[in-house]
Amino acid sequence: MGDFAEWQPQYAAHGIATFPVIIDGKDKRPAVSGYLKLGSKVSSQLTMKFPGHEAIGLACRRNKITVLDVDTPDERVLADGLSRHGHTPFIVRSGSGNFQAWYRHNGEKRRVRPDPGRPIDILGDGYVVAPPSRGSKGRYEIIQGTLDDLDRLPRMIGGQDNAPPPSPVEPAAEGTVKSLGGDGKRNDSLWRHCMRAVRGCARLEDLMEIAMSYNRTQFYEPLPDAEVLRVIASVMSYESEGKNWFGHGARVVVETAVVDDLASSDPHAFALLSILRRHHFGRDFALAKVFAETLGWTLPRFKSARDVLVKRKLIECIHRGGNGPKDPPIYRLTKGYKNVPQ
């Protein structure tokens, strides 16, 4: 079974009709006609006609989805796009490393490079390739959120033709004082500065000192202390939830409940979960003896860590294998978690 046939029912459960897509190098094209108007019934029938297709498409306007398409693997461009258009719980990385941020459709059209200086498109019409499609350079992966988040997507800010996104605020040069206008621009400038600085802060007090100093020296009229504290609280929330996209490097997000349960009590299970989420998010994977060898673990240690993750409902076995050396057990990551006493 290909990815389209497997994932079509999962998208349909959230009211989204999908169709198979053919990806040949850089060429991406729907495998059917009338794809911009097809509904859930036709979408379901297509799984029988195209059982082996590995790429999935969906019509944006028909499914009430608008996508912020970031045509670069530079996370700084993604972070800037999110700060300009609003944050969303559902973010995708394509096989080539570029990004998609999904929003609830609010009348947006298909706008290619609305700001010529930024490699970003707003896709409110036409279609997009959806995860976990397999492209010529790798899979499309959900790197933030789950399909459940499609039921509660926020609307995009500044995505319509008559509402262009605001121009970015350039930080003041070091040692200068610069007025950035109303509270909104000053707030945004301070928030961006703190989002970049928070990873270098060992304590909350360090971030507070940076924020207060920036507020005092960079604005002709500083924000009230209460507003600065609200910005700090927002930054800490994004950082603790793994949603801070300012800076470099991909991230593995682990729930605090999992950290509290496994990090000290079973560090090998915690390490295995982190590795699986790093390399296999959104797709099935084999957990066989060779996996233990690649980690440099003994087989008993590997099996113990695997069984803990199964017991905690962090992974599940979907195929037990055992029919020869080329039939390993197959697992997948789950959305559930259960704190089961040892």
Side-chain angles (χ1 to χ4, degrees):
M1 180 184 296
D3 287 323
F4 169 67
E6 179 181 353
W7 284 76
Q8 186 278 336
Q10 299 183 51
Y11 276 100
H14 297 279
I16 294 179
T18 55
F19 51 84
V21 172
I22 299 171
I23 298 181
D24 183 11
K26 293 184 178 181
D27 182 29
K28 305 172 187 177
R29 62 186 186 278
V32 298
S33 60
Y35 54 90
L36 293 180
K37 297 182 179 180
L38 64 83
S40 58
K41 183 178 180 180
V42 174
S43 176
S44 178
Q45 294 171 349
L46 290 175
T47 61
M48 295 180 284
K49 187 176 181 180
F50 300 91
H53 273 58
E54 298 290 346
I56 307 160
L58 63 87
C60 296
R61 182 158 53 91
R62 171 67 176 78
N63 290 286
K64 300 179 181 179
I65 298 290
T66 294
V67 173
L68 187 72
D69 189 32
V70 181
D71 194 21
T72 173
D74 189 339
E75 291 185 3
R76 294 171 297 180
V77 179
L78 170 64
D80 185 66
L82 293 174
S83 67
R84 289 158 61 91
H85 294 285
H87 289 264
T88 173
F90 195 82
I91 297 177
V92 174
R93 180 167 54 215
S94 71
S96 58
N98 300 340
F99 299 99
Q100 297 175 355
W102 290 28
Y103 299 84
R104 177 61 54 196
H105 193 274
N106 190 34
E108 294 86 4
K109 298 180 181 179
R110 195 173 186 91
R111 303 173 60 198
V112 177
R113 298 296 194 274
D115 182 344
R118 296 176 183 277
I120 293 178
D121 303 329
I122 295 176
L123 309 181
D125 208 342
Y127 80 96
V128 295
V129 176
S133 298
R134 186 187 297 276
S136 59
K137 295 183 179 180
R139 282 191 180 274
Y140 285 65
E141 297 180 301
I142 303 171
I143 60 174
Q144 180 173 295
T146 67
L147 292 188
D148 289 339
D149 290 308
L150 299 181
D151 300 329
R152 47 183 176 270
L153 291 174
R155 289 188 171 94
M156 176 184 285
I157 299 171
Q160 299 181 16
D161 289 339
N162 59 356
S167 299
V169 177
E170 297 296 338
E174 185 177 357
T176 68
V177 177
K178 183 178 181 180
S179 171
L180 296 178
D183 286 356
K185 287 188 176 181
R186 286 177 290 163
N187 183 296
D188 180 68
S189 178
L190 177 62
W191 182 81
R192 294 189 190 197
H193 181 73
C194 291
M195 288 285 277
R196 295 185 180 96
V198 65
R199 292 213 181 93
C201 298
R203 304 174 304 159
L204 175 60
E205 290 79 4
D206 296 337
L207 181 61
M208 292 178 65
E209 183 177 342
I210 290 172
M212 292 296 184
S213 175
Y214 188 88
N215 183 50
R216 184 176 62 253
T217 61
Q218 301 302 299
F219 307 140
Y220 181 78
E221 182 180 347
L223 290 165
D225 289 348
E227 184 61 27
V228 176
L229 292 176
R230 278 194 288 270
V231 170
I232 292 172
S234 171
V235 169
M236 292 302 297
S237 175
Y238 275 97
E239 180 68 15
S240 64
E241 294 174 11
K243 297 178 180 179
N244 183 359
W245 292 97
F246 283 75
H248 299 279
R251 300 166 184 83
V252 175
V253 178
V254 182
E255 301 86 339
T256 55
V258 177
V259 176
D260 295 341
D261 184 25
L262 292 182
S264 59
S265 65
D266 203 318
H268 289 102
F270 183 75
L272 180 59
L273 175 65
S274 301
I275 292 169
L276 294 176
R277 288 188 175 182
R278 164 66 178 87
H279 294 287
H280 300 291
F281 193 91
R283 60 189 177 196
D284 303 338
F285 50 87
L287 282 183
K289 180 180 178 181
V290 66
F291 203 115
E293 295 172 353
T294 61
L295 297 175
W297 293 1
T298 63
L299 190 58
R301 173 178 291 175
F302 170 72
K303 288 183 176 180
S304 175
R306 178 200 62 194
D307 292 346
V308 167
L309 297 185
V310 172
K311 187 176 182 180
R312 294 294 199 275
K313 298 187 183 302
L314 290 163
I315 63 173
E316 62 180 350
C317 181
I318 59 174
H319 174 66
R320 294 193 176 279
N323 297 320
K326 295 185 178 181
D327 185 35
I330 304 298
Y331 291 77
R332 68 171 49 149
L333 293 157
T334 72
K335 295 180 288 186
Y337 168 67
K338 187 174 183 181
N339 189 331
V340 181
Q342 295 283 359

